Each structure stands twice: as C-alpha cells, then as structure tokens.
C-alpha cells in the first residue's frame, strides 16, 4: 500500500506530465502555424510521450492501492517566439521537470517506499535524455540562427521523429 504523501506527490506529477503535454501541444500548434511542420511534428511526438508518462504514473498509483487525486490542468502560453526561443523553453521546462522528479525520488527515500523509488528511477533516467535532447536542439537552433535554408533543413530533420510508446510491452 502506497503512503498518502506519495499518492499526493505522484498525483501532482501526473498533472504536471499532462501539463507538459498541453505545453508541447501549444508549442506544436505555434510551430505548425509558422509553417514549420517538422518542428511541429517533433513537439507533437513530445506531447504524446508526456501523456504516456502521466498515464503510466497514474497506473502505478492504482496498482499500489492509492486513489489518484485530480486537479485542473494549467493553460499553457499561446506564443513562444522564434524557433530558438521555442527550444530554449523546452529546455527550461525539462530542467524544471527534472527537479520535480528528483523531489519525488527524495521523498520516496525518506518514506522508505522502495517500490516508488524503483518506479521513479525510470523517470530520473528519462530526464537525463530529455535534457540532452533539448540541449542539442537549442545548440542546433543557435547554429541555424535566422538562415532560412538551414532552418528548413532542421525542420525537415525533425519531421522524421515518430512516437514510440515508452511503456509498450510493459504491463506496469
Ligand atoms: Fe515527462
Ligand atoms: Fe519531458
């Protein structure tokens, strides 16, 4: 049976993962309207991953005998600036998420909830990947600057990203 303190913090994180999905959908729409279909695709896939993260966490709460706590999902911004600024916002958002995940890991340790600690380790590792990916995109967008040809190439490259359910084949 999972402790209430962890039900609360994991439920908050389910909400935060769905907010992340909302944020990336809003960024995707912003990129799409600006004509960057490939960048919009990358952000759309990112949004789907965030929904998978939130859903997987929700399932963990239920599996452990907890009752997930629901709350309003915050409205994301509607405008994000140029492409470099979009990716800078992705990076700063992911850094914030990393801090949240680390706090959950710390709480699981304090509560000696080894099952939640083992569960959240996947997210700790995932955040390393998320930050690396976002840092690379910020670096690429900086190199590209406002060069339309290079921006077009970056957009084309990001059109190739496809959604892979990170938890496919994993009943948990
Ligand atoms: Fe996430
Ligand atoms: Fe993320």
């Amino acid at each position: 049976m999972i402790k209430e303190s962890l039900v609360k913090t994991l439920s908050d994180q389910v909400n935060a993962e769905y907010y992340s999905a909302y944020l990336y959908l809003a960024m995707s729409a912003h990129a799409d309207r600006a004509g960057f279909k490939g960048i919009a695709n990358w952000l759309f896939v990112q949004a789907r991953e965030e929904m998978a993260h939130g859903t997987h966490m929700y399932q963990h709460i239920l599996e452990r005998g907890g009752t997930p706590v629901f709350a309003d999902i915050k409205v994301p911004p509607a405008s994000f600036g140029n492409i470099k600024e979009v990716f800078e916002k992705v990076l700063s958002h992911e850094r914030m998420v990393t801090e949240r995940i680390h706090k959950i890991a710390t709480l699981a340790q304090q509560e000696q909830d080894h099952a939640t600690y083992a569960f959240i380790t996947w997210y700790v590792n995932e955040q390393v990947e998320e930050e690396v990916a976002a840092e690379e995109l910020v670096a690429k967008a900086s190199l590209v600057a406002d060069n339309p040809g290079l921006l077009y190439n970056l957009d084309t490259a990001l059109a190739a990203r496809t959604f892979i359910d990170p938890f496919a084949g994993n009943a948990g």
Side-chain angles (χ1 to χ4, degrees):
M1 185 82 180
I2 188 168
K3 283 189 181 162
E4 272 314 305
S5 58
L6 283 154
V7 169
K8 170 86 178 68
T9 195
L10 286 176
S11 294
D12 285 349
Q13 191 56 30
V14 171
N15 185 280
E17 297 289 344
Y18 276 90
Y19 173 72
S20 294
Y22 246 37
L23 176 66
Y24 291 137
L25 279 182
M27 287 182 177
S28 182
H30 173 79
D32 187 290
R33 294 299 91 187
F36 296 109
K37 300 283 184 187
I39 292 165
N41 171 68
W42 191 93
L43 291 160
F44 186 75
V45 171
Q46 188 75 358
R48 293 188 67 188
E49 279 195 359
E50 301 301 352
M51 284 185 256
H53 295 164
T55 305
H56 188 62
M57 205 170 268
Y58 156 85
Q59 286 172 323
H60 179 79
I61 299 168
L62 282 177
E63 261 177 21
R64 302 278 312 286
T67 303
V69 182
F70 291 90
D72 290 345
I73 297 170
K74 206 169 61 171
V75 178
S79 176
F80 301 94
N82 65 29
I83 294 304
K84 183 168 176 260
E85 287 165 330
V86 168
F87 290 134
E88 282 169 349
K89 283 167 184 164
V90 171
L91 178 57
S92 65
H93 181 71
E94 290 300 335
R95 285 178 174 158
M96 187 273 290
V97 172
T98 300
E99 280 178 33
R100 293 181 61 102
I101 297 290
H102 288 182
K103 280 185 185 158
I104 297 170
T106 302
L107 181 65
Q109 281 178 324
Q110 285 168 350
E111 298 280 18
Q112 299 188 347
D113 182 338
H114 303 295
T116 296
Y117 185 76
F119 175 81
I120 207 69
T121 298
W122 184 90
Y123 290 81
V124 172
N125 293 328
E126 167 68 9
Q127 283 312 118
V128 174
E129 300 300 317
E130 291 273 49
E131 289 194 27
V132 167
E135 280 162 9
E136 278 181 17
L137 286 169
V138 169
K140 279 180 185 161
S142 300
L143 288 172
V144 160
D146 290 325
N147 182 314
L150 294 177
L151 204 47
Y152 178 82
N153 289 348
L154 179 61
D155 187 62
T156 304
L158 296 182
R161 186 181 188 192
T162 55
F163 174 68
I164 299 160
D165 184 346
F167 308 108
N170 174 355

